[in-house]
Amino acid sequence: MVEIFKDSLGKREVINDTDVEKVIAQIGTPEKIEEQEEAYFSEKTQLKIPIQEPAIQTKTTVP
């Protein structure tokens, strides 16, 4: 978000309501962002494939 504000501020140092509305239009409301994050992380955890440990091989000696 900071980068978006910096791009729109130019030489100004203070953001205003219009700046905030532009950012919300670009990235969405905090509630929408939270919903998207929850959906992303729930999909990510559902797609995890359990990793099996490799079988331990023991050395065999030939007589």
Side-chain angles (χ1 to χ4, degrees):
M1 254 194 291
V2 173
E3 291 83 12
I4 297 171
F5 283 126
K6 283 183 180 180
D7 290 343
S8 66
L9 285 176
K11 293 184 179 184
R12 294 183 298 136
E13 294 182 5
V14 178
I15 62 172
N16 57 35
D17 290 340
T18 305
D19 297 321
V20 174
E21 290 171 7
K22 286 179 184 178
V23 171
I24 289 173
Q26 286 181 328
I27 64 173
T29 63
E31 294 82 12
K32 277 289 188 191
I33 294 169
E34 186 176 337
E35 289 173 12
Q36 291 171 348
E37 286 178 347
E38 288 174 1
Y40 172 78
F41 287 115
S42 69
E43 287 175 8
K44 191 174 181 180
T45 56
Q46 290 175 359
L47 295 176
K48 284 188 178 177
I49 300 171
I51 299 173
Q52 295 180 353
E53 293 292 324
I56 298 175
Q57 296 181 352
T58 58
K59 290 184 179 181
T60 57
T61 56
V62 180

